[in-house]
Amino acid sequence: MRLSETFIDVWSDRLLSVLRIVAAFMFMAHGGQKLVGFPVAASHPFQPFTLTGCAGMLELFGGILLLIGLFTRPVAFILSGEMAFAYFLSHAPHGFWPLVNRGELAALYCFVFLYLAIAGGGRWSVDRLLRPAVPAPAEEPIGARVARQVR
């Protein structure tokens, strides 16, 4: 086995966790702004039963769950849908290109969260701690495999 393959095997699951943590931390800032005016004051007061209010709650509380890696797959799937909805509702009507309609973040979050919905939370997640350990399959002797195929 080459060193590069060993490096990739060791770090790919860890960097999946780093991607999840960093994306969730940055995403939480959007929800914090909408709900409590932190880290930057919101442009209008928080109203819970509006699209912005619902988005803020999903962003803050979903971001917290993603940050710690709890219920990663379903939360990431819901947040991916929220970002697709935000893109098509708020950005796409202003032009086709995300750079023009200022929808780059919504599109990027949508696909990062979609990836996390499939890949999971990675090595450093609460999901991994709660998952029961699966024993590695026992290696079957070659003779047993051949005998079973002959029957």
Side-chain angles (χ1 to χ4, degrees):
M1 186 180 302
R2 295 187 348 228
L3 177 64
S4 62
E5 291 171 353
T6 304
F7 179 82
I8 290 169
D9 290 340
V10 169
W11 283 98
S12 63
D13 200 34
R14 294 174 182 166
L15 286 176
L16 172 61
S17 292
V18 171
L19 173 67
R20 174 186 50 79
I21 292 165
V22 170
F25 183 74
M26 293 190 302
F27 195 64
M28 285 170 45
H30 294 278
Q33 177 190 25
K34 290 176 179 90
L35 265 62
V36 295
F38 180 82
V40 178
S43 58
H44 50 279
F46 173 66
Q47 296 174 334
F49 300 108
T50 63
L51 282 177
T52 304
C54 290
M57 288 187 275
L58 281 171
E59 290 164 6
L60 183 62
F61 298 113
I64 290 169
L65 289 172
L66 277 187
L67 184 74
I68 63 174
L70 182 61
F71 307 121
T72 302
R73 286 186 166 105
V75 169
F77 185 75
I78 290 167
L79 295 180
S80 175
E82 179 208 357
M83 288 292 94
F85 182 79
Y87 181 82
F88 287 110
L89 185 73
S90 299
H91 299 286
H94 300 288
F96 176 76
W97 299 106
L99 186 62
V100 174
N101 66 31
R102 301 186 63 183
E104 307 99 337
L105 271 180
L108 188 60
Y109 276 131
C110 177
F111 284 99
V112 167
F113 293 150
L114 187 59
Y115 173 68
L116 291 174
I118 299 301
R123 177 176 300 252
W124 300 322
S125 67
V126 175
D127 289 338
R128 177 69 58 96
L129 293 174
L130 297 177
R131 185 176 65 196
V134 178
E139 196 59 36
E140 185 178 33
I142 290 185
R145 238 180 292 155
V146 171
R148 192 176 60 242
Q149 289 173 351
V150 171
R151 288 189 234 170

